[in-house]
Amino acid sequence: EPDVTIVSGLKDMVVSEGDDVTFRCQVSHENVRDVEWRLQDVALQNNEMNEISVEKGKIHTLTLRKVTEQDIGTVTFRVGPHTSTA
């Protein structure tokens, strides 16, 4: 299996409290399994507040719903040994 790399990394976002924010990271291969999203070094799960999905096979997205001041911090996307932060 070829090494997966990050083609297009995360971008810093500024949002107002109560809004949703979406982070996108594009990887080089489809159907990647070893993927992790973190906020302030806490692993995120797909639930009503965090929507984690994959678009077109290679674009991994994280949507944080109705953000609050507690959501301020670093978002990290990891695939294999590669990471991108915003």
Side-chain angles (χ1 to χ4, degrees), residues 34-75:
D34 187 20
V35 167
E36 182 180 51
W37 287 97
R38 298 177 85 80
L39 174 61
Q40 302 168 9
D41 220 26
V42 175
L44 298 177
Q45 304 298 320
N46 198 18
N47 57 37
E48 67 278 354
M49 296 308 291
N50 312 315
E51 182 183 330
I52 297 171
S53 63
V54 180
E55 299 171 0
K56 300 177 184 163
K58 297 181 183 179
I59 302 171
H60 293 257
T61 65
L62 165 67
T63 300
L64 302 177
R65 304 235 178 260
K66 297 184 174 74
V67 296
T68 66
E69 277 189 28
Q70 285 75 38
D71 295 319
I72 292 172
T74 301
V75 171

Side-chain angles (χ1 to χ4, degrees), residues 6 8-11 25 75-78 82-86:
I6 295 173
S8 175
L10 300 176
K11 294 180 175 43
C25 201
V75 171
T76 304
F77 173 83
R78 182 189 59 77
H82 306 287
T83 60
S84 178
T85 59

